[in-house]
C-alpha cells in the first residue's frame, strides 16, 4: 500500500483532505480504541510514516490526514514481521526509536518446518474451518495425508498450509 493510502488506513482522514476523500474515514487506530491493533509486516512500513506511527503508539494520540484535532486512543499494539528489524535499524531502513517501542515483549515463533508437531493440529483446524464455510462435513483426515503434510518443509509457513488445505 502506498504511504499516503496506508496513512489514511491507519489514522483515518477528513472529508476533502485529498482527491477522492469524499467523506470522513475513521482509521484503524481509532477503531481499535480500548482494544488491540495487529500490525502485520511492520518491516514494510515506509520510513516517512514511521514517526507518525511512533507518536500514535507512544503518545496514544493521532490526527487524521487533513485534520487538526488530536484524537486520544488507548490501544495495545501487536506487530509482526518475518524480517530482522534489528538489522534493518542498523542499515537505516527502520527507525530505532520505533523498534525499541515495539520490542517490549518479543515473541519468536519458529517457522512451521521447525515445529512439525503443530502441523496435524493446524491441519485439523483449517480443514474444519474450510469445511464449515463450504457446508461440507469432514470427519477425519487420513493418516497418510497427515504424514505427507508433516514431512513437507512449508516455505510459505502457515499461510501456505492454509491455502493448500483450502
Amino acid at each position: 500500500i502506498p504511504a499516503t493510502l496506508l496513512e489514511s488506513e491507519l489514522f483515518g482522514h477528513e472529508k476533502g483532505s485529498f482527491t477522492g476523500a469524499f467523506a470522513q474515514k475513521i482509521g484503524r487506530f481509532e477503531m481499535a480504541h480500548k482494544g488491540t491493533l495487529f500490525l502485520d509486516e511492520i518491516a514494510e512500513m515506509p520510513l516517512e510514516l514511521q514517526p507518525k506511527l511512533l507518536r500514535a503508539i507512544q503518545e496514544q494520540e493521532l490526527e487524521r490526514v487533513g485534520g487538526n484535532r488530536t484524537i486520544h486512543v488507548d490501544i495495545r499494539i501487536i506487530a509482526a514481521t518475518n524480517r530482522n528489524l534489528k538489522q534493518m535499524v542498523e542499515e537505516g531502513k527502520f527507525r530505532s526509536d520505533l523498534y525499541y517501542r515495539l520490542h517490549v515483549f518479543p515473541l519468536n515463533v519458529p517457522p512451521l518446518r521447525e515445529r512439525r508437531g503443530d502441523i496435524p493440529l493446524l491441519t485439523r483446524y483449517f480443514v474444519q474451518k474450510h469445511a464449515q464455510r463450504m457446508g461440507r462435513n469432514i470427519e477425519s483426515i487420513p493418516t497418510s495425508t497427515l504424514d505427507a503434510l508433516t514431512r513437507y518443509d512449508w516455505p510459505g509457513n502457515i499461510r501456505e498450509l492454509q491455502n493448500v488445505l483450502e
Side-chain angles (χ1 to χ4, degrees):
I1 299 176
T4 51
L5 292 178
L6 182 58
E7 184 177 10
S8 173
E9 185 67 26
L10 292 174
F11 306 113
H13 63 258
E14 298 294 342
K15 180 180 178 179
S17 59
F18 55 85
T19 303
F22 299 114
Q24 181 187 67
K25 180 184 180 217
I26 304 297
R28 300 291 176 165
F29 269 80
E30 274 185 87
M31 286 191 280
H33 182 61
K34 298 287 186 187
T36 302
L37 180 63
F38 176 58
L39 301 174
D40 198 10
E41 300 299 343
I42 191 69
E44 306 304 319
M45 171 79 54
L47 270 172
E48 65 268 19
L49 193 52
Q50 291 180 24
K52 191 166 184 175
L53 176 63
L54 177 65
R55 176 180 179 237
I57 294 170
Q58 190 164 307
E59 305 299 326
Q60 296 187 325
E61 59 186 32
L62 59 97
E63 291 175 8
R64 293 187 195 120
V65 175
N68 55 11
R69 184 175 63 93
T70 300
I71 300 164
H72 178 76
V73 290
D74 180 13
I75 59 174
R76 172 182 33 242
I77 300 290
I78 298 174
T81 184
N82 63 354
R83 312 249 316 263
N84 184 333
L85 283 183
K86 182 71 171 159
Q87 181 180 345
M88 290 180 69
V89 167
E90 292 165 2
E91 295 170 354
K93 296 178 181 175
F94 198 84
R95 290 179 60 108
S96 63
D97 48 2
L98 179 56
Y99 168 78
Y100 288 110
R101 191 69 179 125
L102 293 171
H103 197 80
V104 176
F105 192 81
L107 296 174
N108 182 23
V109 179
L112 198 51
R113 68 184 161 274
E114 292 179 17
R115 48 194 180 95
R116 294 182 190 275
D118 291 351
I119 293 171
L121 180 66
L122 289 165
T123 297
R124 288 183 191 95
Y125 169 77
F126 288 130
V127 165
Q128 288 309 310
K129 176 182 171 184
H130 295 306
Q132 184 179 23
R133 184 176 54 82
M134 295 179 198
R136 309 267 316 265
N137 183 26
I138 300 175
E139 294 183 16
S140 66
I141 302 166
T143 303
S144 60
T145 301
L146 288 175
D147 289 345
L149 293 171
T150 302
R151 283 192 306 273
Y152 184 66
D153 276 341
W154 301 106
N157 278 310
I158 291 176
R159 288 184 179 124
E160 181 182 8
L161 174 64
Q162 181 178 7
N163 290 335
V164 165
L165 294 170
E166 184 178 15

